[in-house]
Amino acid sequence: MPVYKSPILILRCQDWSETSQIVHVLAREIGRLRCLAKGSKRGQNPFSGPLDRWTLGDAVFSQADPNRLATLMELYETERFDGIRRRLPAFYGASCITEIILTIVPDLEAQPAVFDLVVDGLRLLAAVEVEACRAVTLTLVWRLLALLGYVPRLDQCAECGAAISLESPLNFSSGLGGPVCGNCHPPGRIHHLTAKAAQAIAFLLSAGWDEVRRVRLTEATADLIRGLLSARIEELAGRKLSALRYV
Amino acid sequence: MDAYTESMERLIVALGKLPGIGRRSAERMAFYLLDADKDEVDALAESLHDLKTKVGRCSECGSMAEGERCAICASDRRDRSRLCVVEKPKDVIRIEATGGYNGLYHVLGGLLAPMDGVGPEHLDLDRLAARVAAGEIQEVILALSPTAEGDGTALAVAERLKAYKLHVTRLARGLPTGATLDYANPGMLSDALRGRQNVDESES
C-alpha cells in the first residue's frame, strides 16, 4: 500500500466511532482528501491527542485506492493558529475559507500554491486586529478563486477582451467571474458595481498583506463584495456558501 | 425477507435504524426480545412510549424535563448565582456526575458551525441573555468542548453577554488526568502551561 508524507491542514473532523475520526485535510503534496484517523480520540495515539480543525502538521498516511478513505498513520502538529479561536471575526473568516476549500478545491489534485496561500492566510487571520479580519478574509477568498483560475482579469471584458476602466461603475458577471463590457450580455446574473467597489476588489487582489491588514472596508463595500463572491461561488459550486454572511 | 413474519421484519428494520446497529445486530436483538418475558418487553415498550410523550425541554434551562421545569431548575438547594453553559442535555449529565457543581445550567442546543449554516441566531442565546438580565446570576461557566467549534461558541456567548456585569469563565484545558507528556501535542502543553496552578491550590 503506498505511503505518503506531506504537510497537511485539517479542514474538518467528524466522529467515526467512539475512538476514531474522519478528517478532511488539504495536503500540500496531494491535494484535498479524507482520511480515517484510527484511535485519534484515545488518550495515547500517534496524532498527539484528538484531531481538530485548523491544525497544521506533518502527516504520514496510506491510500490503497483513490476512491476510498486514506488512513492517517501519524501527525506531528506544527501549528494551531490559536488566534483564530480567540477572536470571533477571525473564527468566522477561517470558517469561510475552510468552507470554500471544501466546496471548490478538487479532490486529490496537488496544489501547493493553494496550500501555501491558505496557511499564510490563516496565520494572518490569527494575528491581525479584529477590525482587519473582514478585509483579510475577503482578500483570501478572492486570491483563492484567482489561484484556482476562477477570476479573470479585472481590466478587460471577461467575454470579448475589450478594455475596461475601473474608474467608472461596471457590470460583473458571476457566471464568467469577471467584468463585462456594455456590448456583451453573457447568461447568468450581472452585478452592478460602483467604481469604489471595483477598485477595492482590484486592490485586494494585488496589494501586499501589510497593506490589506490596514484596510477597513465599509459595510456597503463589504456587502457588495460578499454578494459578488457568494454569487460567483454559487455558480461554481451549485450551492450557496453558509459562512460568508458572518464575515 | 420472507423468512421473517411481518412484525419481526418491522422490528428488525426499526432496530437497524439505531446508531451503530446493523442488520445482523438488529436481528439478534429481535430474537432476544422474541424470547424475553412479556413483562420485560412491555416495560421496554412503555419506556420508549414515555420517552416521546413525557420527556420534553425544561422551559428554563433547555435540558430534559418531565413537566415544565427540570429537577435542577426546580430545586431550591441549587446555587442560583452560578450558571453553567453546555452544548447539549447529555453534558448536564456528565457534569452532574462529577458531584462538584451545584449551580444551574443552560443548554445552548448546539455549537456555532458557520460552515454548516449554524450561526449565533440558531443557539439559545436569547433565553440565556434573559436569564442573565434577571440579575441573580453572578458567574457564567462555559463548559464547551475545547474544539474549534466549542471555542467559537464560547466567543459568541461571551460576545452576547459582554453587556452584563458578571464573571464569565471557562473550563480549564490542557493535559487530561492520566495522560503522559509523551503523548501530549504542543497545543495541549501550551494550554496546560497557561493554566498552570500552584501545587497547594490543586486540591481546591
Side-chain angles (χ1 to χ4, degrees):
Chain A
M1 189 181 300
V3 173
Y4 305 93
K5 274 183 181 181
S6 174
I8 63 163
L9 173 70
I10 298 181
L11 304 169
R12 183 192 275 276
C13 296
Q14 291 170 291
D15 285 348
W16 169 251
S17 67
E18 285 289 313
T19 55
S20 302
Q21 291 170 294
I22 289 179
V23 286
H24 299 240
V25 306
L26 185 64
R28 191 176 190 279
E29 320 303 344
I30 291 144
R32 198 168 61 106
L33 75 159
R34 291 188 309 150
C35 308
L36 179 60
K38 288 181 191 165
S40 61
K41 291 162 76 185
R42 288 187 200 280
Q44 299 189 342
N45 64 53
F47 317 112
S48 314
L51 301 170
D52 198 9
R53 180 175 299 169
W54 306 321
T55 299
L56 183 68
D58 295 321
V60 178
F61 45 87
S62 63
Q63 189 167 38
D65 174 351
N67 297 316
R68 305 181 78 171
L69 282 178
T71 302
L72 189 61
M73 297 160 73
E74 197 181 308
L75 178 69
Y76 183 79
E77 180 185 316
T78 53
E79 201 167 338
R80 210 169 50 141
F81 311 106
D82 274 348
I84 291 173
R85 299 153 178 266
R86 298 208 185 113
R87 282 114 18 91
L88 203 50
F91 174 82
Y92 285 140
S95 299
C96 178
I97 301 298
T98 308
E99 186 184 5
I100 291 172
I101 300 169
L102 288 167
T103 306
I104 60 170
V105 172
D107 279 345
L108 297 172
E109 268 184 34
Q111 308 222 30
V114 168
F115 182 91
D116 294 343
L117 173 72
V118 171
V119 169
D120 287 348
L122 291 181
R123 235 171 239 152
L124 196 62
L125 264 181
V128 294
E129 312 76 52
V130 166
E131 298 75 23
C133 286
R134 180 188 281 166
V136 169
T137 303
L138 295 177
T139 303
L140 265 172
V141 177
W142 274 111
R143 292 186 183 188
L144 190 57
L145 291 180
L147 211 49
L148 291 166
Y150 295 133
V151 180
R153 290 175 58 171
L154 289 177
D155 58 356
Q156 61 182 39
C157 173
E159 180 127 297
C160 70
I164 285 197
S165 164
L166 295 179
E167 298 301 318
S168 48
L170 55 83
N171 291 332
F172 194 98
S173 157
S174 49
L176 297 175
V180 285
C181 67
N183 299 325
C184 293
H185 306 282
R189 283 170 64 187
I190 296 291
H191 302 259
H192 305 290
L193 281 188
T194 61
K196 200 174 161 191
Q199 287 161 14
I201 293 169
F203 174 81
L204 296 181
L205 275 166
S206 61
W209 284 114
D210 274 350
E211 288 176 290
V212 172
R213 65 189 292 176
R214 285 199 295 271
V215 171
R216 302 291 180 265
L217 292 174
T218 63
E219 198 58 50
T221 306
D223 263 353
L224 267 173
I225 296 176
R226 267 195 304 253
L228 211 57
L229 283 171
S230 179
R232 177 66 180 141
I233 293 167
E234 199 178 336
E235 289 273 354
L236 294 170
R239 71 168 185 87
K240 270 189 190 309
L241 278 186
S242 300
L244 189 58
R245 70 195 181 101
Y246 299 106
V247 171
Chain B
M1 195 182 288
D2 288 345
Y4 288 114
T5 68
E6 194 186 325
S7 303
M8 192 74 169
E9 178 64 23
R10 210 149 47 95
L11 178 63
I12 290 168
V13 170
L15 290 169
K17 288 181 181 169
L18 296 174
I21 305 293
R23 171 95 193 174
R24 288 178 73 86
S25 300
E27 285 176 345
R28 207 161 40 240
M29 287 179 188
F31 275 113
Y32 170 82
L33 292 170
L34 188 65
D35 292 338
D37 287 346
K38 186 172 182 307
D39 288 351
E40 191 183 342
V41 177
D42 284 348
L44 176 66
E46 193 182 334
S47 53
L48 286 173
H49 181 259
D50 287 353
L51 183 75
K52 295 311 285 181
T53 53
K54 292 185 179 169
V55 181
R57 286 289 162 96
C58 171
S59 61
E60 210 166 302
C61 70
S63 188
M64 295 176 292
E66 291 199 26
E68 179 70 13
R69 295 163 82 205
C70 68
I72 293 172
C73 288
S75 169
D76 55 8
R77 285 190 295 193
R78 307 292 294 206
D79 177 356
R80 295 189 166 266
S81 69
R82 282 188 189 174
L83 187 71
C84 182
V85 176
V86 296
E87 177 197 346
K88 52 190 184 297
K90 209 164 105 182
D91 299 335
V92 174
I93 310 288
R94 292 262 186 273
I95 294 174
E96 283 296 291
T98 66
Y101 177 70
N102 190 39
L104 300 177
Y105 292 92
H106 188 85
V107 178
L108 290 175
L111 292 178
L112 193 63
M115 287 164 52
D116 302 319
V118 182
E121 68 277 17
H122 298 102
L123 306 178
D124 193 6
L125 293 177
D126 289 342
R127 193 161 43 166
L128 172 64
R131 292 181 79 184
V132 167
E136 209 175 353
I137 293 160
Q138 290 167 16
E139 181 182 3
V140 169
I141 303 165
L142 303 177
L144 302 165
S145 302
T147 58
E149 280 163 357
D151 288 345
T153 309
L155 294 170
V157 174
E159 169 90 9
R160 184 62 190 266
L161 298 180
K162 72 179 178 194
Y164 303 99
K165 273 192 180 170
L166 78 165
H167 194 201
V168 180
T169 58
R170 61 190 307 167
L171 296 185
R173 52 202 292 170
L175 292 170
T177 304
T180 59
L181 293 187
D182 282 347
Y183 287 91
N185 62 29
M188 276 182 189
L189 277 174
S190 71
D191 281 340
L193 278 169
R194 233 189 332 259
R196 68 191 184 279
Q197 51 191 191
N198 291 325
V199 175
D200 55 0
E201 284 174 5
S202 59
E203 294 300 314
S204 63

